[in-house]
Amino acid sequence: PNKWLVFFAVAVGVFMSTLDGSIVNIALPAIMNDLAAPLSTVEWVMMIYLLTVSALLLSFGRLSDIRGRRWVYTRGLIVFAIGSLFCGLARSALWLIAARAFQGLGAAMIMSCTQAIVVDRFPFAERGRAMGMIGAVVASGLTVGPALGGWLLHHFNWQTIFYINIPIGLVTAFFADRLLRSGPSDVSRAERFDWFGSLFLIVCLTSSLFVITHVRRMGIASPVILGGLLVSLLTVLGLIRTERTVSHPLLAPSLLRIRLFTFPALAAMVLFAGLFIVVFLMPFFLVHPYGLSEHAAGYLMVTLFAVLFVFAPISGSLSDRIGSRFLCTLGMAVLTVSLYYLSAITPEMSRLDVAWRLALAGSGIAVFTAPNNAAVMSAVPPRFMGVAAGTVATVRNLGMVLGIALAGAIFNHVFHTLSGGMDLKVYHPELEPFFMEAFRYAMLSGTVVCGFGTLLSFLRGPDKR
């Protein structure tokens, strides 16, 4: 009976976490200048957050199946608020990166539960609609974020963008705890938590990302890079062996044999990798070669997410009728086309030329996300609902990390090569040719990645009702 109150409690947490991500992104140029840190360091302000979230989501999803989703969700809100306080107090790039890691711990607890809590309360026939409305909430956070971030940066300092999370997190934790108590999201099970599997997963993701982000600078033959690859390989083997032998694995191997679980999860990772190539690099293009203020750049970035308000609920409702295959393939194809057009962008173009390219990317995200999430959550047995929600959130955030890592690696490599060994730390007009060529190569890489994702989306096959 109170499913919409539960939806509202979840929506606030989703809104807060997405708002924080989009606000921080628009503030990166200001953070880079204020802390006198190079782009290769500043990108870790986003990457460490996404890495922490990605590494812990599946563990907290499994923990929510055991300990109860209310317990994990409400405490995640409190941890997120405390982490936001530490971020606002940061006075160096390393301090801020460490605080963002702690903030990511709370975000992982929040995101691991949200979809499972919604599915607990909504029947099968309404899940696509509910996921579409969650998509609209995500859109609101992503849409308000750049505009609000630009406004805050115009009137205050960048630390303010973190402080606004504190009251929202604490108040939501209080009401969610009361609302979810003694409901289906407050059920615990007498099962053991897979600590070894969780540890292997965290170390594997961390070492793999380290290799991806540092291989350009250190070289593939570097002992550090080779050591990172060895650690990644050993932890993958350890994870596989552990999940096959423990009585209650972190990720049940049987789930990987469900086609409508595995293929949509992989497609979601590809989609968010392509999206975050755009999300990470576009503010730098808008502020530097394009010449906008952070305030104006924030408003222009809104167009990337504003279309989610229109298409996400519609796409979610359609998926309840026609399934996810066509909609997800179409959404991924639209994002692929938008990345190709973004690769041809120039500083001389009008704001309308920039805006429609961003809106096209947002349309693809909107058409894809709700049907994809509904397909994954409806394909698994109820006792694995928390793991499924954690998996969806994990691959989403892992895609974000890979997108930022790929964009940073390609952009920095091309910029470094064309400029004769320089790194982008302080932008000057004479650097424009090097910047734009590096930007073009990064967007084309996203085009290739999302083209592969279109194939993955189609290969999932028809939905089973």
Side-chain angles (χ1 to χ4, degrees), residues 35-54:
L35 300 181
L39 178 63
S40 57
T41 299
V42 171
E43 70 182 29
W44 276 94
V45 174
M46 285 187 68
M47 289 243 291
I48 195 65
Y49 176 83
L50 295 174
L51 171 62
T52 305
V53 172
S54 302

Side-chain angles (χ1 to χ4, degrees), residues 119-138:
V119 171
D120 281 340
R121 296 296 180 117
F122 283 81
F124 180 88
E126 298 179 8
R127 288 177 186 172
R129 178 189 177 197
M131 292 301 173
M133 294 182 66
I134 286 290
V137 174
V138 171

Side-chain angles (χ1 to χ4, degrees), residues 206-228:
T206 304
S207 58
S208 299
L209 182 64
F210 178 85
V211 169
I212 292 172
T213 54
H214 289 78
V215 66
R216 181 191 66 85
R217 182 170 58 87
M218 295 183 176
I220 190 64
S222 167
V224 177
I225 296 298
L226 293 176

